[in-house]
Amino acid sequence: MKKDGVLELLRSSRLKLTLPDAEPSGRDSHTRPTSMDTDSNTLSTVANSDAAPRVVADVRATSGNRGVPKSGRIWKRVRSQRFSQIRNDKPDSTTWQDKLNKKSNHKAIKSFAQELKEEKLERQKAERERIAENKKRKLENEKKNEIVVPIKNVAKLKRMRKKQLRSIQKR
C-alpha cells in the first residue's frame, strides 16, 4: 500500500527518486552532501550505499512561489475558491412520463412489500395458534395420565413434611 502511494506521488507531483547506486553528479558514495543542481534547478540528496532510497521534493512541483508545504503533503492543492462558491451543474431534468413511470413502479413495489408483510404476519399468527393448541392438548393429556389418590384422613396432612405438601394439589 505504501509503496504504491510513493510511486503515485512520484508520477503525480514530479518528485525525484535518488537511489544509492545511481548518483547524477559522480560524487563519492560515502559522502552525504545536499546541494542544488544547476542544470535542473532541483534539490537532490545523495545517500550512502547502505541506506534506503530517499524521496526528494521537486521545487518546481508546486505552483507559483509557494514552495513545499510545511506539512510535507505536496499532493494537496491550494484552494482557489470557497466551497460555498463552487457551483455544480444541475442534472438533466426528467420528463413527466418518466416521473409517472417511476411513481407507478414505486407504488407496485410498496404494494408487493405490504403483501409479503401480511403473509408473514398470517404465518406467524397460525404458528402461534398451533403452539397454543399443542400446549393445551399436552396439559389435558397430562391430567388424564395422573394417578390421583384422594386423602380422606386430614390428620395425615398435619404429619406430612413441607416437600410432600408441595406435591399435593387441591381439586
Side-chain angles (χ1 to χ4, degrees):
M1 179 84 184
K2 281 188 174 182
K3 225 178 211 182
D4 294 338
V6 169
L7 291 175
E8 199 170 313
L9 278 175
L10 286 171
R11 285 187 208 114
S12 65
S13 62
R14 288 196 263 163
L15 289 179
K16 194 175 194 181
L17 178 68
T18 58
L19 297 172
D21 296 339
E23 294 183 30
S25 60
R27 292 190 188 100
D28 246 5
S29 65
H30 300 292
T31 58
R32 291 179 52 99
T34 303
S35 65
M36 272 315 247
D37 290 345
T38 54
D39 58 329
S40 66
N41 200 14
T42 60
L43 181 68
S44 65
T45 306
V46 179
N48 285 336
S49 60
D50 59 336
R54 291 179 164 264
V55 176
V56 181
D58 189 350
V59 177
R60 292 175 297 162
T62 56
S63 62
N65 295 328
R66 292 186 59 89
V68 180
K70 188 174 185 179
S71 64
R73 297 177 181 181
I74 52 178
W75 60 90
K76 295 244 179 186
R77 294 195 177 124
V78 179
R79 187 176 67 187
S80 59
Q81 288 180 322
R82 289 190 178 273
F83 184 75
S84 59
Q85 297 300 318
I86 298 171
R87 292 194 179 153
N88 295 327
D89 295 334
K90 290 184 180 178
D92 294 334
S93 58
T94 56
T95 62
W96 182 248
Q97 191 63 36
D98 289 339
K99 288 180 181 179
L100 289 178
N101 290 339
K102 191 175 180 181
K103 189 176 181 181
S104 65
N105 287 342
H106 187 67
K107 222 176 206 182
I109 291 170
K110 282 275 192 181
S111 64
F112 182 68
Q114 187 63 30
E115 288 174 15
L116 289 176
K117 280 184 184 178
E118 288 172 359
E119 287 176 11
K120 185 180 177 184
L121 288 174
E122 287 174 12
R123 276 186 274 132
Q124 287 176 345
K125 188 177 178 182
E127 183 70 19
R128 270 188 248 125
E129 288 175 0
R130 190 182 65 80
I131 290 171
E133 287 174 7
N134 286 346
K135 277 186 180 179
K136 190 175 179 182
R137 196 178 318 120
K138 189 175 180 181
L139 284 173
E140 288 173 359
N141 289 338
E142 282 179 2
K143 283 185 180 180
K144 284 180 188 175
N145 292 334
E146 283 180 349
I147 300 171
V148 180
V149 179
I151 300 174
K152 295 175 183 174
N153 189 1
V154 183
K156 274 186 178 179
L157 288 174
K158 290 186 178 180
R159 289 194 305 253
M160 284 185 178
R161 287 184 234 118
K162 268 189 178 180
K163 281 189 178 179
Q164 289 174 331
L165 284 171
R166 283 187 194 128
S167 63
I168 296 174
Q169 292 179 352
K170 187 178 180 181
R171 292 186 191 167

